[in-house]
Amino acid sequence: MSVPGYLLAWARLPGPARLLAEVRRRRERGWRGDRGEVSLDWSLSERRDIGRFLNADWRESGRGVRASELRQGLRAHGAGLDELLVALGGPLRDLRGERAEAEQARESDRAAGLALLRGAVGDWGDDLTAVARGILQPAPSWALLAGEVADVLAATGEEPRRLAELAAALFRDPHALDRSTPLGRACVRSLELRRAVTEGGSYRDPLEDAQLWSAAWAGAGVICDAVSAQVLVLNLPLTGNAPAVRLCHAAPGEPVWLTLRSLRGAWELARGAEVFVCENPTVLEAAADRHGAASRPLVCTFGLPSQATWELLTGLGDVRCHVRADGDVVGWRIVNQLRDRLPGALTWRMPEGCTAYEEELLEDLLSDLKGDTLGP
């Protein structure tokens, strides 16, 4: 049954067009039958145009359009409601059915993704299921991401490889496995999950800090960038054969940047030494200016600790470390991390509730770095 041209022309007038657009929206969302009513804020002229195909009293009634009377009015002119809607805007969609199909497809994709991930890392227990789902959760396709993760894990462990080299070989992009990418984060978390499954230990998110990130890759034979991660030190009395030892002894009284690469090899702190740790380079530079080679050993985190900073400080063992940072949210986060991970960590002029920035206490800090008595 074709729709008469004059009916199509009527349907494109502003009032009827708004009415039929709303009817289409409801029909595609599952509206069936004749009981519904459409009420919009129509103008007088729009009501007049709509009323041309409804009962004579509708225009003055002020009420909405009932589906039954709209169908009846259209039938009187040889057209069905759905036929008119199709003629105006194409086939009606079954949005409810489409949503059900999309959800079913998502569930199938998630199941396939978890199966691929399980094959790559091993059979995790119920306690790690949430971790496994979280690894894939941000991805539009769990199966696609899990497949790429499986490829990466399968390519690790045979011989040491650099992270950028591995990324370029698998994805033709040396940055594909960077910490900033969803794939890089999913891969390193999967490596840690595999370790927890294989060794039976607890899972710790390797994105919590740079050292955990590096350690997770290193456990699979993948070497992360060892030269861009740095830590600033002053008068650090290291002994051993690591390049960092030579660097520290080459410039007494001068700030020295140590890279993660320079900390490879054997090294330790000279017996009996204590270390001070600050957040801002201003403190370290002022200590170099004021005390030079006479300053106590000082390490600067330069904000949140880098991978090299953690490698250095955790490698000190139970050496006494006097730690502090700015008294803001980030500073207290740094201090709490240091206290949690360094057995010999003591706060340095940073009592609980301290809100002072290091520059405000600079004279006291410099005094501590030269004198024999520490402040609270």
Side-chain angles (χ1 to χ4, degrees):
M1 181 184 300
S2 61
V3 179
Y6 68 87
L7 198 56
L8 290 174
W10 167 81
R12 294 188 176 101
L13 294 173
R18 290 179 62 203
L19 167 64
L20 293 170
E22 177 62 17
V23 171
R24 183 183 188 95
R25 187 187 71 82
R26 297 188 187 186
R27 286 283 288 109
E28 290 184 334
R29 283 160 175 76
W31 184 34
R32 299 291 185 269
D34 292 332
R35 294 185 178 181
E37 180 175 302
V38 177
S39 295
L40 300 176
D41 185 20
W42 289 299
S43 66
L44 291 177
S45 62
E46 288 176 332
R47 291 188 68 87
R48 181 175 60 251
D49 289 337
I50 294 171
R52 287 165 53 188
F53 291 92
L54 300 180
N55 295 329
D57 63 347
W58 178 84
R59 188 177 60 185
E60 308 300 331
S61 69
R63 59 178 176 79
V65 178
R66 298 190 183 102
S68 57
E69 61 187 344
L70 178 59
R71 292 181 189 276
Q72 182 180 354
L74 294 174
R75 278 198 300 268
H77 293 270
L81 176 57
D82 286 359
E83 291 169 332
L84 177 58
L85 294 175
V86 170
L88 290 169
L92 292 168
R93 296 171 60 188
D94 179 8
L95 295 181
R96 183 181 296 176
E98 289 178 15
R99 286 194 296 269
E101 290 179 5
E103 181 58 31
Q104 184 177 5
R106 282 193 295 270
E107 288 301 320
S108 297
D109 176 76
R110 291 168 182 167
L114 288 172
L116 286 169
L117 187 63
R118 191 182 299 274
V121 307
D123 191 9
W124 57 75
D126 292 341
D127 57 326
L128 292 174
T129 296
V131 171
R133 294 179 67 87
I135 289 173
L136 303 175
Q137 183 68 47
S141 171
W142 288 22
L144 178 60
L145 179 59
E148 292 177 333
V149 169
D151 290 342
V152 172
L153 268 59
T156 63
E158 297 179 0
E159 59 182 27
R161 306 180 71 176
R162 298 188 183 280
L163 184 63
E165 174 195 359
L166 177 64
L170 292 178
F171 305 105
R172 303 182 66 183
D173 178 1
H175 299 290
L177 298 176
D178 286 358
R179 188 174 180 175
S180 60
T181 67
L183 179 58
R185 295 192 293 270
C187 285
V188 77
R189 283 170 164 161
S190 297
L191 287 170
E192 171 61 12
L193 179 60
R194 185 171 70 177
R195 183 206 60 76
V197 169
T198 303
E199 300 178 5
S202 59
Y203 173 90
R204 182 171 181 182
D205 189 352
L207 297 180
E208 287 184 1
D209 63 52
Q211 189 179 37
L212 292 175
W213 161 273
S214 178
W217 283 112
V222 179
I223 303 168
C224 296
D225 180 5
V227 293
S228 62
Q230 301 180 84
V231 55
L232 185 61
V233 303
L234 175 67
N235 295 340
L236 197 62
L238 298 183
T239 62
N241 61 15
V245 176
R246 297 191 297 275
L247 291 171
C248 287
H249 285 280
E254 280 298 313
V256 174
W257 285 103
L258 302 180
T259 65
L260 189 63
R261 179 184 176 87
S262 72
L263 290 166
R264 292 177 181 170
W267 59 269
E268 62 181 353
L269 199 66
R271 186 179 299 275
E274 298 183 12
V275 174
F276 290 74
V277 181
C278 64
E279 176 187 356
N280 298 297
T282 299
V283 178
L284 187 141
E285 188 175 7
D289 290 342
R290 180 79 60 87
H291 305 312
S295 173
R296 294 189 179 195
L298 184 59
V299 175
C300 176
T301 68
F302 215 101
L304 292 171
S306 68
Q307 183 180 343
T309 305
W310 283 122
E311 187 74 15
L312 173 65
L313 293 177
T314 57
L316 296 176
D318 59 358
V319 169
R320 179 173 294 183
C321 293
H322 303 276
V323 303
R324 70 154 297 113
D326 287 332
D328 55 12
V329 173
V330 174
W332 274 108
R333 177 183 172 189
I334 293 170
V335 168
N336 289 331
Q337 287 180 343
L338 293 171
R339 289 194 297 191
D340 288 343
R341 299 183 60 180
L342 303 181
L346 304 169
T347 54
W348 170 28
R349 289 193 183 271
M350 197 165 182
E352 293 298 328
C354 174
T355 59
Y357 289 93
E358 289 182 329
E359 290 81 358
E360 298 178 69
L361 305 173
L362 187 58
E363 287 301 320
D364 290 332
L365 302 181
L366 292 176
S367 176
D368 292 339
L369 291 170
K370 176 64 175 176
D372 297 327
T373 304
L374 294 180

